[in-house]
Amino acid sequence: MNILFLTLVKIKSLEERGIYTDLLRKFKEEGHNVFVVSPSERRDKKKTHLSTKDGVSILNVRTFNLQKTNIVEKGIGTLAIEYQYLNAIKKYFSTIKFDLILYSTPPITFSKVIDFVKKRDNAYSYLLLKDIFPQNAVDMKMLKEGGALHKFFLKKERRLYELSDTIGCMSEANKKYIIDHNPTIIQEKVEVNPNSIAPIETVQTAEEKRKIRKKYGLPFSRKIIVYGGNLGKPQGLDFLLETIISTINPNVFFLIVGSGTEFNRIYKWFQNKRPKNAMLVSGLPKQDYDKLLKVCDVGMIFLHQDFKIPNFPSRLLSYLEMKMPVITATDSNTDIGSIIKKNNCGYSVLSGDSESMQSAINKIVSNDEAFYKMQENAWNLLQREYTVTHSYQLIKNKIENV
């Protein structure tokens, strides 16, 4: 098959690790031809260009700045990108007949591209739903519910779902939300196809672990509880900071690694509070981040308590891959915490419930036997539910049954 993948993620090579590159690499390994359309932002100062490496074609399309920019340019860029992608596909892929279009949210503004390729090539369209927009923006009070912009994006969202032959959701709660809030969608075209990776099992010696902890100034004798990833409003990070201050267990040390809109505020908090049980590290390249994760003991996931949509952060997979027990502090709508509890690889609390959080932390670091069992369960859960082999097979089955 010829597969077209549309994304806002900057992809330069399928050798990079991530939920999209791992899946696309699986398609390539199974003998399919992969074509990627990815942004080249204005700040990169590069024209639209096509490159081919190891049989994979990557079309980097010049766009406005989409990440780490002001809200005006981000908004214009998000609306303009479907025209930019469409023109680039017509120019560079005019002779390619695609069998499958894969795309993810965000954004929800690829409708014209999908519609064009579907009609031109009779291609199958598969949405990997990673973000439920615009409701998430309403939850975070970034959009006014019922306002002109909200109505505009709702129309875009409905059109995207209408064009998608299958909608792959991250979890059962995601699936239920989409079906319940979109009564016009045919239920049979909505399925669970979760975030997935190609796991790599690693073994680290005590000396290697000590060396990395020394490099970053981390204590050797404490359990390191890490929060890694985006530092933004959706994560509800005030509760993370409250957790650091409230924790008096001498065997615990917190590590925050990441970047995002809240980084500067958190940095100032660290400067003012100077907590002795925590450290803040700015976002690292993927390879360095993975090495740092390997020396940590427990992973943390935070989500803002006001969310009505069931988010499912992909950072869970990094934790499971490192065989880490996980503590989730989320809203009541997501099922990520219940999955962790059901598979006995961590604890789940509601965001803002400080007493339950302290109880979870103390439990997870005080019983070595239970801790080692959770490590094993974390790896088993990843192998069972969140591999690209599983995701690939779901997509392949859909196309074969057409």
Side-chain angles (χ1 to χ4, degrees):
M1 288 191 300
N2 289 333
I3 296 157
L4 177 65
F5 179 63
L6 310 173
T7 182
L8 281 188
V9 176
K10 289 185 180 181
I11 295 179
K12 297 179 181 178
S13 167
L14 294 196
E15 294 173 3
E16 302 166 356
R17 296 197 66 211
I19 59 174
Y20 301 129
T21 48
D22 283 12
L23 179 58
L24 294 174
R25 198 163 56 247
K26 176 64 177 176
F27 273 97
K28 180 181 178 295
E29 289 168 357
E30 294 294 332
H32 304 291
N33 303 311
V34 176
F35 300 81
V36 178
V37 184
S38 175
S40 177
E41 292 180 293
R42 183 170 61 88
R43 66 169 65 92
D44 298 331
K45 297 180 180 179
K46 290 182 179 180
K47 295 181 179 180
T48 297
H49 59 281
L50 176 66
S51 60
T52 303
K53 185 178 180 181
D54 298 327
V56 176
S57 298
I58 299 179
L59 178 58
N60 293 115
V61 180
R62 181 174 171 84
T63 66
F64 291 96
N65 292 327
L66 302 166
Q67 309 294 336
K68 298 178 182 178
T69 187
N70 63 76
I71 193 168
V72 174
E73 182 172 21
K74 185 181 180 75
I76 294 172
T78 302
L79 294 175
I81 196 168
E82 68 176 336
Y83 297 99
Q84 294 164 334
Y85 274 29
L86 182 57
N87 290 333
I89 288 168
K90 287 179 178 179
K91 179 177 179 180
Y92 290 91
F93 294 153
S94 60
T95 61
I96 309 296
K97 184 180 185 298
F98 294 108
D99 303 288
L100 169 66
I101 320 166
L102 272 178
Y103 45 97
S104 64
T105 53
I108 58 168
T109 52
F110 280 155
S111 298
K112 286 183 170 57
V113 184
I114 297 160
D115 192 32
F116 170 77
V117 178
K118 281 190 68 144
K119 288 178 178 175
R120 187 191 72 175
D121 300 341
N122 194 30
Y124 192 92
S125 56
Y126 196 108
L127 168 61
L128 297 165
L129 189 73
K130 308 299 183 187
D131 186 45
I132 301 175
F133 183 86
Q135 184 58 48
N136 61 351
V138 171
D139 291 348
M140 293 296 95
K141 298 178 174 57
M142 297 166 69
L143 275 182
K144 181 182 178 182
E145 187 167 13
L149 267 180
H150 181 226
K151 290 178 180 177
F152 171 78
F153 283 121
L154 275 177
K155 188 177 179 181
K156 286 282 187 181
E157 180 191 29
R158 291 183 187 124
R159 178 58 177 156
L160 185 70
Y161 294 164
E162 180 186 319
L163 282 169
S164 301
D165 293 315
T166 297
I167 300 172
C169 301
M170 293 184 292
S171 71
E172 287 292 345
N174 268 244
K175 177 182 174 181
K176 185 177 186 303
Y177 183 93
I178 291 300
I179 290 172
D180 289 349
H181 290 80
N182 297 275
T184 59
I185 290 180
I186 301 169
Q187 292 189 21
E188 287 71 25
K189 79 178 195 176
V190 186
E191 67 180 8
V192 176
N193 191 340
N195 296 327
S196 59
I197 58 172
I200 298 175
E201 187 171 15
T202 57
V203 178
Q204 190 176 52
T205 66
E207 181 55 34
E208 289 171 334
K209 184 174 181 178
R210 185 177 180 86
K211 185 177 179 180
I212 294 175
R213 284 201 178 189
K214 182 179 180 181
K215 176 182 176 181
Y216 288 96
L218 295 168
F220 299 126
S221 58
R222 298 198 213 179
K223 284 278 197 299
I224 306 294
I225 300 182
V226 61
Y227 172 87
N230 187 44
L231 301 172
K233 187 176 180 182
Q235 284 67 49
L237 296 173
D238 284 336
F239 187 47
L240 170 56
L241 302 181
E242 179 187 329
T243 298
I244 292 171
I245 290 295
S246 301
T247 301
I248 58 174
N249 191 318
N251 297 318
V252 169
F253 190 88
F254 294 95
L255 173 64
I256 303 175
V257 188
S259 60
T261 56
E262 295 286 279
F263 180 86
N264 287 338
R265 183 172 74 86
I266 294 171
Y267 176 80
K268 290 176 183 176
W269 183 89
F270 266 81
Q271 292 293 102
N272 291 331
K273 300 290 185 181
R274 298 194 177 277
K276 294 182 179 180
N277 65 337
M279 177 185 293
L280 174 66
V281 175
S282 184
L284 296 169
K286 172 67 173 168
Q287 191 173 4
D288 293 335
Y289 175 65
D290 284 348
K291 286 181 180 178
L292 184 53
L293 272 191
K294 288 176 189 175
V295 306
C296 298
D297 301 290
V298 179
M300 298 194 88
I301 290 172
F302 284 81
L303 285 172
H304 201 288
Q305 61 188 6
D306 291 342
F307 270 123
K308 294 182 176 65
I309 60 168
N311 287 293
F312 205 97
S314 61
R315 69 177 55 86
L316 171 66
L317 306 189
S318 297
Y319 297 155
L320 300 181
E321 187 178 31
M322 300 301 168
K323 300 182 180 179
M324 279 195 276
V326 180
I327 299 175
T328 65
T330 70
D331 56 275
S332 59
N333 295 298
T334 181
D335 53 354
I336 193 168
S338 61
I339 289 171
I340 290 299
K341 287 175 62 179
K342 178 183 175 183
N343 290 277
N344 191 28
C345 51
Y347 295 97
S348 172
V349 305
L350 287 176
S351 179
D353 187 345
S354 189
E355 185 177 340
S356 295
M357 174 60 85
Q358 291 306 311
S359 176
I361 290 171
N362 291 330
K363 284 179 184 176
I364 213 164
V365 302
S366 63
N367 187 327
D368 285 345
E369 185 178 346
F371 181 82
Y372 297 141
K373 185 61 179 175
M374 285 182 181
Q375 287 184 311
E376 182 182 333
N377 291 341
W379 176 254
N380 290 339
L381 174 60
L382 177 64
Q383 291 288 319
R384 190 169 56 249
E385 302 289 344
Y386 303 117
T387 68
V388 290
T389 299
H390 176 62
S391 292
Y392 167 79
Q393 199 59 52
L394 284 169
I395 297 168
K396 182 170 176 282
N397 290 344
K398 282 291 182 182
I399 297 171
E400 288 177 347
N401 291 331
V402 174

